[in-house]
């Protein structure tokens, strides 16, 4: 999708009465960055999507979380792993560290 496509879709969803419109992942690609920088006011709450802090980084030094905050949206959706297999194999961290990553991220965003 182009940025203008994303803006048109966001407007249409908002006009339909959708409460939240997830606009993409700020910092992931130039289109999503431009979308968040240029999206007009919507009736819906524009939501930025991202993930918890990365392993080995503090929340203050995580570019993904910084991009979420810099998007300036009224809401943020983050994904955190909850299945122990994914935590240990996909993320390569302990379950305890995963919970710290989730908790640290939520504390920063709140």
């Amino acid at each position: 999708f182009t940025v203008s496509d994303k803006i048109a879709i966001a407007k249409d969803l908002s006009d339909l009465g959708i409460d939240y419109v997830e606009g993409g992942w700020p910092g992931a690609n130039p289109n999503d960055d431009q979308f968040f920088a240029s999206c007009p006011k919507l009736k819906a709450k524009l939501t930025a999507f991202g993930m918890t802090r990365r392993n080995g980084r503090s929340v203050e030094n995580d570019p993904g979380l910084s991009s979420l905050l810099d998007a300036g949206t009224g809401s943020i959706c983050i994904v955190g792993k909850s299945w122990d297999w994914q935590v240990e194999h996909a993320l390569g961290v302990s379950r305890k560290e995963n919970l710290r990553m989730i908790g640290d991220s939520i504390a920063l965003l709140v």
Side-chain angles (χ1 to χ4, degrees), residues 36-82:
F36 285 105
S38 60
C39 191
K41 285 279 189 186
L42 303 171
K43 295 176 213 163
K45 291 182 182 177
L46 183 60
T47 304
F49 175 82
M51 58 185 254
T52 61
R53 73 164 170 83
R54 288 175 176 80
N55 184 36
R57 290 193 176 263
S58 66
V59 290
E60 297 84 10
N61 191 31
D62 188 284
L65 290 174
S66 294
S67 293
L68 287 172
L69 291 170
D70 292 344
T73 58
S75 62
I76 293 172
C77 175
I78 58 171
V79 63
K81 301 290 187 198
S82 60

